[in-house]
Amino acid sequence: MAEPVSIASAIGGLITLSTAVLAAGYKYLNSVSSAPEDFKSLVRETASLNAVLSQLISHSLSEKIVPQIVSHTLVQQDVLQDCEQTLHNIQSLIRECELVSGQRRKNAVNTLLWPLKQKEIIKNHERLGRLCASLHIAISIKSASTLRTLEHEQKRGNDVISGLARNADEIQEQKILDWLSSLDPAVKHTATTLLKQSGTVEWFLHEQAFLDWMSHGKLFWVHGASGTGKTVLISSMINHMIGSPQDQTGTEALAYHYCDFTNPPTLDPTEIVGSLVRQLALQMDKIPLTIQTLYHKCSGQSPHLNMLFQVLDYIVKQSFETTYLIIDGLDECPNRQLLLGGMRQLCEASHNTKSLKVLLSSRPEYDIRQALSETPSFSIEPWHVELDIETHVRAELAKMPKLRALAVSIQETLISDLVKRAEGMFRWIQCQLDTLRKLRTPRALKDALQALPAGLDKTYDRILNSIDEGDHEYVLRMLHWLVGSERPLSFRELAEAIALNPGKERLDPAERLMVAEEIFELCGSLIRIEEDQTIVLAHFSVKEYLLSSQLAGKEYSLAKFALQADFSRRHVSMCIISYVLSIGLKIQSLQQDLLDEEEFPLISYARLLKINRFQDFDTVGPWMERHLFADQSKDNEWLLLVDYVKAPAPYEYNYHVAGFVRRVLQCSLMCFWNGHMARYGTLANGSKMARSARRVADLFSRWQRDWESRENAGVVAQGICVSRFAPSPLCTAAAFNYTHAIRFLLANKVLVDGNPLFHFYGNPLLRALYSGNGEVVRILIEFGANINIQSLSSPRLTALQSAALRSSELVLYLLEERKIDTNMVDGYGRTIHHWAIHDTTISQNLRPFSARLNALRERDVDFLDVSRLYTTILTLLDSVKRYSTVRYHHDYQLLFKCVFRSGADYLDHAAVFAEQDLIRGKTIGHPAHCGLCGYGPMGGDIRGQRFVCLDCLDGDFCADCYANWKKSNGEMDHCKGHTFYEIPRPCWYQFGEGVVMEDGSTLPQVIDFLEEKFTALLKSARSQTAI
């Protein structure tokens, strides 16, 4: 019979061992965020065992009863020995897969080994569960021994585990903070603080209205005319409050926000309130439970504005004695009524005048005046800021050598005149100083002072009138871009943009500025340069002036500069069509040369635009009417860029850019035809536009028939290898929701199912489902589309998978109205039931239908048809051999994922195919876009390293998003717990020409090797099935 001390010693040894296993397990989870759920459960079960053993120690086993009860439980049943063996097994399992510093390739392989050890994980998990149950029998037994040294060891282990747990908590908290808002008001605050002259703005801190708000006020409104320095005043007030003694006690909290018209996210009420909540949460010891609850309730999706206001209300009432909320520039926010209403309700709900204080600043716009008519306010009048303006003028004049050299009396007169005429507007002062900087003589200075304009509108009038008439066209183009662009442009980008004339079919290099910096000479005080070297309008008042009806009603010399926001946006889109066409024609002129993208500074901007820019008939229609079929020789040049059965470029290394060009032009051209049908209902009204639209319709019909022709099968297949979006006219119509075009094509007896030999991308129904175009889906089914169609050569999506990646409504339509087959196997050998568990997006969209899908399921969730998988791989291998000259062969990516899913023996071989699509340049590019930040939504490249999710159907991260995912320890809702593989491999950079493997193998050799292997595997799988 075992002695009590020996049993206690054995338990102590197990505690030490289990603590070591736990520490290793948590360390692995922190470093390999994609570890499977089974392993996480194994770690949790180990923690349970550790806790049971600790309880045995704390109860201190008694000498008298140990031999009678414990010996039977712990010794005769070999519980302790089983515990030791199981813990050693788990320890070995972790060591085999742990990461080794500096060995990236080995680590990548080790990360992928867990799926192969799933049976071992499950087996050890079950054994731990049985052992814990056995040990619970001994929990109630008391003991006379203390084992204090073992308790100390246990405490040490718990400290290690607690440290790791705290690290995980910090990661989770950061994830929640980022979910609340991505805005960082400190950037704008710092930049604004630097604008303040020493000694200015201090007067406001002594105003009675401000002091009253600080002592017993709730909502307070500071308002003033445009350009009166409100933002600088607010930033100074924030700095004062941050440095106050009360703020250091921890009983007060401050959150602030700056609305900035040049940064659209700062104008979104949800982002604004989320930013305020985030700032308050950062000032607390721990993120409040109410925020965590909301985060989980929203499943990581953006919260509703009302929810955020409720959380804000809770924090104000429960967390601080006083909470200050400050929002500057409210008038720049288009949806400001939502903010105003929410803030007023927040103040009304706060009965204690000290618990919440809200300050809003804006111009006195009518709707804001009405909403805050009964709110305490302060109006910034000219006399308030007169001394501040004088201080500012003196400081600025001191920076101008020419003016500083003037006699003191002249300088004083200049200062006096400027301050007197400013009427409290710093913005007005800045514009006058910009003008004075250019003057060369005292006479010019005197004349300028006598002609100082009154107010900002007159100042802007003078700036526009001073522009040379020969520059008017360039200035107008620039203003269109500054108002209508998706984002601020750099010097080079903006200089390139103003060289584009929508009245011309393509870019005229002769219109480019010789010196980009001359942009400032064109517009002067109307624009400014940001810290990131982008160009923006100098002030919100400039944008309002340009968009105002007053400017449009002035004399023609000024009215010509009046803008409309929609027209400016269309101007940008038309310029991009011309630019894309120019890029395409340049690519066609290159026979065996790579396109130099530096020659086209706007190409990055163009590739990041959303495709819906070119689905607006009011944008595309005028451009097409002006340029289409105007010159037959030119038409033939650029229509070749659209032709579906032509190679996208003479040189295959330009295919990736050529594919982007083709997509924009196909979308725009079909938009012209479809839009004309939608607006006028006919192509036969005799107008020039109708005749052009009819010719376009005939072109697409011919291209569709050419695409379907067996004679062109080889060219079409090669084209599909490159075209990743819409390889046929019918697919273009399906992808872009061109319902009139698709009805026209189908009425002309084209193949409604496309050609299944040309896999997923050749099927219009799958394309429409994947794009979420429900009306097109119904039209296709009306014309007889097969909803259970399967590609013969691709692992890509079935109809239900396509729908589940985009829309729950389309899933419901397919399940209820069309009775789709849910047990159909795709090219990976999987069913929709597998992806409903493992793919992030599909899982979310199928969640409402889980009960129905389970009732329809005929196979195990993780059923794998290996024969189908091996057949797909062999078909794809044949395709890449058949079209070996295609550099960016689409099937490379499909092969990559298929071969990867075939086992750890083929990891390097799989990576070879992903690396064939790499686009070489200053940075490596990939023909894929990021699933998180959306980089490359026009088919543009992920730059640098690409991280491919091996669990999802389609999951790619750029390096930045993967780093954020990694920081979350793999717990980010998108691809939670999944496995990623980095492309390219580190060894790829050292390969010589033609080499694709570290053993010196070439691509043909890898293909031959895999063909031999998978032919044998397929034969074996089929023979086993036959048995």
Side-chain angles (χ1 to χ4, degrees), residues 310-362:
Q310 290 172 11
V311 172
L312 194 55
D313 182 52
Y314 174 85
I315 293 176
V316 166
K317 292 176 178 176
Q318 302 295 327
S319 303
F320 301 98
E321 287 185 11
T322 306
T323 302
Y324 296 92
L325 303 178
I326 301 172
I327 300 177
D328 173 66
L330 185 65
D331 53 299
E332 297 185 25
C333 178
N335 296 320
R336 52 184 176 251
Q337 289 302 325
L338 294 175
L339 270 178
L340 279 168
M343 288 299 171
R344 287 172 59 191
Q345 289 180 17
L346 207 61
C347 290
E348 290 169 3
S350 174
H351 302 295
N352 184 347
T353 57
K354 289 187 176 181
S355 64
L356 174 64
K357 297 181 180 297
V358 177
L359 186 147
L360 307 173
S361 81
S362 71

